[in-house]
Amino acid sequence: MTITERLRKLDYTQRSFRFKVIASGVIVLATAITLLVLWLTSVSLEDTVPRIVIQDEFGNPMTLRQINADPQLKTEYDKILASDEYKAFIAAQDEQLANMSADDKLRKQVLDSIAARATSSSNIYLLILAGSGLALAVTWLGLLLTYVSLAVVALLLLGPMYLMDSVRGIATVAFGSLLLTFGFTALMSLARITLATMNGPVTAIARNVLAEAVRMKVSLVLVVMLIIGLAAVPTLLTDTNMLRYRVQNFLQYSTTTSFYILGFLTILLSAGSVAFEQRDKVIWQTMTKPVSAWRYIAGKWLGVCVLNIVLLGVCGMAIYLFTGYLSRQMAVGEIMPGVGPLGDQVTDDRFLLETQVLVARTSLRPDNPLSPDHPDFQTAVSQEMRRLIELEGQEDTPEFRETVKRDYFKAVMQQYRTVEPGGQRAFVFSGLKSLRNSNKTFSLRYRIDAGSNRPDELYKLTFIFNRNEPVPIEATLGTMQSIDRLNPRIIDENGMLELVVLNGDYQRGVPATQQSINLPPGTLELTYSAGSFEMNYVKLFAIFWAKLAFMSIIGIAAATFLSFPVAAMIAFGMFFLTEGAGYIAKSVEFYLSGPDKGFARVVQIAVTPIAQAVRYTFGSYGELTPLSNFVEGLMISWSTVGLSVLLLSIWSVVLLFAGVLVFRKRELAIYSGK
């Protein structure tokens, strides 16, 4: 029997119903046994580090199982347990725990929960279940033996390379790329099968789009870049940085890279799928069938959206699993993951990772001390208007009144956020009763501006929380900083927290070089955990998908009446314009606040209308920037997700109808006479 015949027989075997049933049973049984063994070993006390830490020759802490396996170590350890010094040590710890204050017990409870989460096996369980689900899907797709054969070959080739330090990174990238390719292929097959079960011209056109995504060289190159990029990002991280920075950098680079590559792929595929079919006359075969214009456009859009679901699913699972793996590495100061030295259960690095990165924190800003509708403020605005009318001869119009009101309110709030040397300012946070009654610590985030924000200067400040002990601060200018591990018991019974900011050292006075400080809008806030990292992650990718769906309909609508290069150029321009709309809006606001004389005035007259048009048209899209909040561990609200989906859906439907109207007017079959 030749090799070709053997391969054909193996392919017939893996596609048979009997093989699929037997293989599925084996996969389910193996998964159940693996999970059971993992659960039994993870809860075993033999694998824990004792309260008296004993290190091996490499300086690593030894578990009870390792100690009991060595008779000499076991004898020495038993002598330690029977000694009077150890008994006194345990008695002192128990007495310290018994005499611990309520605040200290709360703090210990929080730290214990973080330590338990840091050493949990939930990510391993998820990885096993995800692998099992993928194996079952591959089995019923008739590809199990093919995948197993390729995996065995890859292990034989890449295994020896992984053992060599010089090429370990290449082996890691290659094997990671293979696993991502397996996932992509399986999900693409599932997507095609799912669309095949839905009869109709729309789903049929969508299946053709999935096939085009594999055939088109440009899209195939981008898919390969995406897979290799995701596999290569983990190898670029250095283990010399703090663990929380490594996790944040990985989340930032991997999600940003994935989104922009998928954005390019979406534009090229959506524009090319429509434009190339018209150019190559392939569309004749479709439109001669009973397929209306709206079904054709909707089918193209559905196909690109389904492809994005597949690719986002592969990217999302890969990023999430490696984030879980990375978070279980040793943080700075730990002797093993989740365990600090000298009995300290949580180091600062681990604490900040678990409470500020791998979490969904909500933020609360101080109450506004002044309302634009307050009678005193209205009186002050009226006085300011009379002054401007008398001095500058301004005309009293509703527009002028609104401008004065807005500018005056901004000036008053700017003055409120400014603290003179030796002065103080009180900021009040309300609505914190639920936080006070919880067992969650919280953080204060702040930024201090002074002068030119010289990075080599440290400003002496003092924070006082609800008239408690003053907290001395050395602030670096111009950067966001935080005070962490604040106890919720400092909030009063009404859920109020008063923060007094003193510009100077409370005990030693104000330094001679101190200047007035300013807390810019949005840079003073309380943050605390209010949700899970996993749900925040799902929300992020939901917004990504909505944005990609919007980009795809732009490319499709443009390609209904333009050639591929022009349609792609317009779609790319819209992509960069919408993604940069938030930056443009802030830039316009900053520029308009500058001088309006001379050449600057000429530039304002020429640029402002265009910039304002972009700001008002795409400002709402530009505000949909969940990635920065996600990386900082801030919660993405359901209102943000709902607004994103609703807003982008409305725009997409409008563009869909526009594309249909244009497409119905096209002369697709013009006889050339040849």
Side-chain angles (χ1 to χ4, degrees), residues 436-456:
R436 185 184 189 278
N437 297 330
S438 70
N439 292 329
K440 300 175 181 177
T441 59
F442 65 99
S443 302
L444 171 70
R445 288 164 50 88
Y446 63 93
R447 194 187 91 187
I448 303 298
D449 289 350
S452 59
N453 283 344
R454 289 181 53 181
D456 59 336

Side-chain angles (χ1 to χ4, degrees), residues 326-435:
L326 193 62
S327 65
R328 290 174 56 85
Q329 303 303 301
M330 287 181 58
V332 174
E334 291 182 341
I335 58 176
M336 63 181 300
V339 179
L342 302 177
D344 186 14
Q345 294 172 309
V346 177
T347 62
D348 289 339
D349 190 16
R350 175 67 63 182
F351 183 88
L352 295 176
L353 171 67
E354 297 290 344
T355 59
Q356 294 193 10
V357 181
L358 299 181
V359 71
R361 294 178 293 140
T362 187
S363 60
L364 181 67
R365 293 175 181 173
D367 300 341
N368 200 332
L370 181 65
S371 171
D373 299 326
H374 195 276
D376 293 341
F377 179 77
Q378 296 287 354
T379 302
V381 170
S382 299
Q383 294 175 355
E384 179 69 12
M385 283 192 61
R386 286 195 296 269
R387 187 185 68 84
L388 293 175
I389 292 174
E390 293 174 359
L391 294 179
E392 302 180 7
Q394 294 284 353
E395 183 180 355
D396 189 357
T397 62
E399 293 79 9
F400 177 63
R401 177 175 289 273
E402 284 299 320
T403 301
V404 173
K405 181 178 179 180
R406 183 180 63 251
D407 294 343
Y408 191 73
F409 183 77
K410 185 183 298 184
V412 171
M413 292 305 300
Q414 175 73 12
Q415 182 180 3
Y416 172 73
R417 291 190 294 266
T418 301
V419 186
E420 300 294 332
Q424 62 182 28
R425 186 78 68 223
F427 300 91
V428 178
F429 300 85
S430 60
L432 297 171
K433 185 176 292 187
S434 60
L435 175 61

Side-chain angles (χ1 to χ4, degrees), residues 424 460-464 468-473 500 502-510:
Q424 62 182 28
K460 303 287 186 178
L461 306 175
T462 302
F463 289 170
I464 303 176
N468 288 298
E469 290 295 326
V471 180
I473 301 294
V500 176
L502 175 64
N503 186 1
D505 194 317
Y506 182 83
Q507 297 176 343
R508 301 179 182 178
V510 182

Side-chain angles (χ1 to χ4, degrees), residues 365-671:
R365 293 175 181 173
D367 300 341
N368 200 332
L370 181 65
S371 171
D373 299 326
H374 195 276
D376 293 341
F377 179 77
Q378 296 287 354
T379 302
V381 170
S382 299
Q383 294 175 355
E384 179 69 12
M385 283 192 61
R386 286 195 296 269
R387 187 185 68 84
L388 293 175
I389 292 174
E390 293 174 359
L391 294 179
E392 302 180 7
Q394 294 284 353
E395 183 180 355
D396 189 357
T397 62
E399 293 79 9
F400 177 63
R401 177 175 289 273
E402 284 299 320
T403 301
V404 173
K405 181 178 179 180
R406 183 180 63 251
D407 294 343
Y408 191 73
F409 183 77
K410 185 183 298 184
V412 171
M413 292 305 300
Q414 175 73 12
Q415 182 180 3
Y416 172 73
R417 291 190 294 266
T418 301
V419 186
E420 300 294 332
Q424 62 182 28
R425 186 78 68 223
F427 300 91
V428 178
F429 300 85
S430 60
L432 297 171
K433 185 176 292 187
S434 60
L435 175 61
R436 185 184 189 278
N437 297 330
S438 70
N439 292 329
K440 300 175 181 177
T441 59
F442 65 99
S443 302
L444 171 70
R445 288 164 50 88
Y446 63 93
R447 194 187 91 187
I448 303 298
D449 289 350
S452 59
N453 283 344
R454 289 181 53 181
D456 59 336
E457 289 185 342
L458 292 176
Y459 265 45
K460 303 287 186 178
L461 306 175
T462 302
F463 289 170
I464 303 176
F465 297 93
N466 271 357
R467 302 181 181 179
N468 288 298
E469 290 295 326
V471 180
I473 301 294
E474 288 189 349
T476 303
L477 298 179
T479 60
M480 287 295 294
Q481 299 160 86
S482 65
I483 303 176
D484 305 306
R485 307 191 189 191
L486 292 173
N487 195 312
R489 295 294 183 261
I490 65 176
I491 302 171
D492 66 20
E493 296 179 353
N494 297 322
M496 303 282 290
L497 176 64
E498 181 188 57
L499 170 65
V500 176
V501 178
L502 175 64
N503 186 1
D505 194 317
Y506 182 83
Q507 297 176 343
R508 301 179 182 178
V510 182
T513 58
Q514 198 94 335
Q515 303 180 43
S516 297
I517 62 172
N518 179 262
L519 291 86
T523 60
L524 181 66
E525 59 184 8
L526 300 180
T527 63
Y528 54 94
S529 175
S532 66
F533 170 80
E534 290 76 13
M535 185 55 66
N536 222 31
Y537 190 69
V538 172
K539 295 175 185 177
L540 174 70
F541 273 76
I543 295 177
F544 278 174
W545 181 81
K547 285 188 172 186
L548 293 174
F550 175 62
M551 287 298 114
S552 64
I553 196 61
I554 291 177
I556 292 172
T560 55
F561 64 97
L562 297 172
S563 62
F564 171 71
V566 180
M569 182 181 65
I570 290 177
F572 276 121
M574 290 290 293
F575 180 65
F576 292 115
L577 191 63
T578 51
E579 286 298 317
Y583 173 78
I584 293 175
K586 293 180 181 178
S587 301
V588 169
E589 183 177 354
F590 176 78
Y591 186 72
L592 292 180
S593 64
D596 57 354
K597 298 179 180 180
F599 180 72
R601 180 60 178 168
V602 176
V603 175
Q604 285 185 0
I605 295 175
V607 174
T608 298
I610 301 175
Q612 292 284 21
V614 174
R615 176 184 180 182
Y616 290 126
T617 305
F618 303 109
S620 54
Y621 184 99
E623 294 175 357
L624 302 177
T625 55
L627 181 57
S628 58
N629 290 342
F630 171 75
V631 174
E632 292 293 330
L634 298 176
M635 174 179 284
I636 303 173
S637 64
W638 282 112
S639 60
T640 301
V641 178
L643 176 64
S644 305
V645 175
L646 177 62
L647 179 66
L648 295 175
S649 297
I650 293 174
W651 287 356
S652 299
V653 170
V654 170
L655 289 174
L656 175 65
F657 278 106
V660 171
L661 292 177
V662 172
F663 196 70
R664 291 178 61 182
K665 302 297 183 180
R666 293 296 308 275
E667 293 290 342
L668 299 175
I670 299 177
Y671 180 61

Side-chain angles (χ1 to χ4, degrees), residues 95-115:
E95 182 180 0
Q96 182 181 4
L97 182 61
N99 297 329
M100 189 178 293
S101 64
D103 290 346
D104 291 337
K105 288 181 179 179
L106 172 63
R107 178 183 176 86
K108 185 177 185 302
Q109 181 181 353
V110 173
L111 296 180
D112 288 344
S113 65
I114 293 174

Side-chain angles (χ1 to χ4, degrees), residues 298-316:
K300 292 292 185 181
W301 190 32
L302 176 62
V304 179
C305 290
V306 170
L307 176 64
N308 283 327
I309 291 177
V310 171
L311 291 173
L312 284 174
V314 174
C315 297

